[in-house]
Amino acid sequence: MTTIITPLGGFGEVGRNCLALDLNGQILIIDMGFNLEKLLEFETKYDLNKKPSLNFMIKKEILPKLNLLKYKRKNIVGILCSHAHLDHIGAIPYLARKLKCNIYATPFTSSVIKSICDVKFDFSKIKSMPTNAKFNISGINIEFIPVAHSTPQSVIIAIHSPIGIIMYANDFKLQSGFLEDSQTNLELFEKYKNKVKVLFLDCLYSSHKGSCESEFDVIKQFQKIEKEVDLKNKRAIIVSTFSSHIERLITLAKLGKKYNKKIVFIGSSLSKYIKSAKDTQIVDLSEYGEIISGKRNIHYFFNNLKNPKDYYFIVTGHQGEPNSVLKKMADGLFDFTKKDLIIFSNKIIPAKVCEENREKLEKKLNKTGVQIIKDVHVSGHLFSEDHKQFVSIINPQIIVPSHGENFMEQNMVNLFKKEPFSKIKVIPLKIGENLTF
Ligand SMILES: [Zn+2]
């Protein structure tokens, strides 16, 4: 009876999350994401209309190292997905195509996976499971446990292995917002107390003091803006956030509605996620306004736009992405004036390429005199007090820090050195390094 845990991506780095669990010869893969930063680097440097080849993506470490499994690849019995962010599912169209096993994810995540795979992909392999699913793959019992994060229907995954429970707790927070079926209920975790052998724990913000705020705090941040800025007398209001952050899109749409403006959601990735939210009965954002996607439609809309003052634009481009709507607006598609307002409801991803892209965009926008408000946002990840609270409930034997660079992993080692956690072993793992039991 052997259990071998092998990280294939997302350890000692942020991105391309992927983990292999070999349980007596049967392999489960958890998450199959790509490295967004490295992909954006490619998009910024090269031809935007050209898709990178599979070989290029493997060579540039954009995809997880599935090749580390070598001949054992045929033993993969299932792929489990924790949530719909591309650093967790983005590699599926590339790497899962040739694998015969099924892919298990919540309805929203399944829908997003389908939207990023082309028609040649065998969609019957994608199995939609409820957020509290309990199921069995080749005799292995698996549980999904719903948690709050910055995209709907995210889950923590518990795998009942011969060595005890292996819990994969990446990308979540304790403070829930208003979206049903996307909330953390800590009571659900009580039953795992002292039963978890290995806890994979999101270490991204393990050095941040205090607790992460909830989505309700973003609403408060907007209320503050409403007090300080005369939104009623602004010409166009333009807002941007992560397209997958459905809860935030609801908050943004509600704000637009208050000011009696015509709401338009513009951008291909926005339309993709909005469709998934509608198809899975989370929310129908088309009830708030029109959704415009596709280069031709977007250009047609802006070229025929008569009264910008009547509009509230929800657009892609918060990271200054070269292909985004906001970037195109700044490049001349929209005539900005100092009476307009742009609100960035996000944080810049701490990667050189994102920082540079956003800086270039802001420089251009600043020349027009448009008012810019930034960082109206709360994180979707645990802070150090949250880590401690969660770990005191689970009390695992081993913690493996995940989803972070080496210094973040080390922060987590330090966090749990002290009492009452000193009995827990914190073991950072490298990509390709086996943890064997
Ligand atoms: Zn995430």
Side-chain angles (χ1 to χ4, degrees), residues 17 82-88 149-151 154 170-172 202 244 380-381 403:
N17 296 286
S82 62
H83 65 290
H85 283 152
L86 294 177
D87 56 337
H88 294 259
H149 183 42
S150 39
T151 195
S154 300
N170 251 354
D171 290 42
F172 75 110
D202 176 342
S244 57
H381 296 264
H403 208 282

Side-chain angles (χ1 to χ4, degrees), residues 214-226 251 376:
S214 86
E215 201 54 27
F216 292 108
D217 290 285
V218 174
I219 297 173
K220 280 185 205 153
Q221 291 176 33
F222 275 110
Q223 284 165 349
K224 194 166 170 262
I225 292 171
E226 286 181 274
T251 302
V376 188

Side-chain angles (χ1 to χ4, degrees), residues 66-124:
L66 205 62
N67 56 326
L68 289 170
L69 295 177
K70 294 180 189 151
Y71 63 92
K72 292 203 291 188
R73 254 189 283 196
K74 63 178 187 317
N75 300 343
I76 299 174
V77 292
I79 300 167
L80 309 166
C81 302
S82 62
H83 65 290
H85 283 152
L86 294 177
D87 56 337
H88 294 259
I89 59 165
I92 287 175
Y94 303 94
L95 300 180
R97 190 180 294 278
K98 284 190 179 159
L99 301 174
K100 289 201 172 64
C101 65
N102 289 332
I103 299 161
Y104 302 84
T106 59
F108 180 75
T109 308
S110 299
S111 173
V112 175
I113 294 171
K114 285 177 189 164
S115 78
I116 59 169
C117 292
D118 64 27
V119 284
K120 287 183 211 149
F121 197 88
D122 179 3
F123 289 145
S124 70

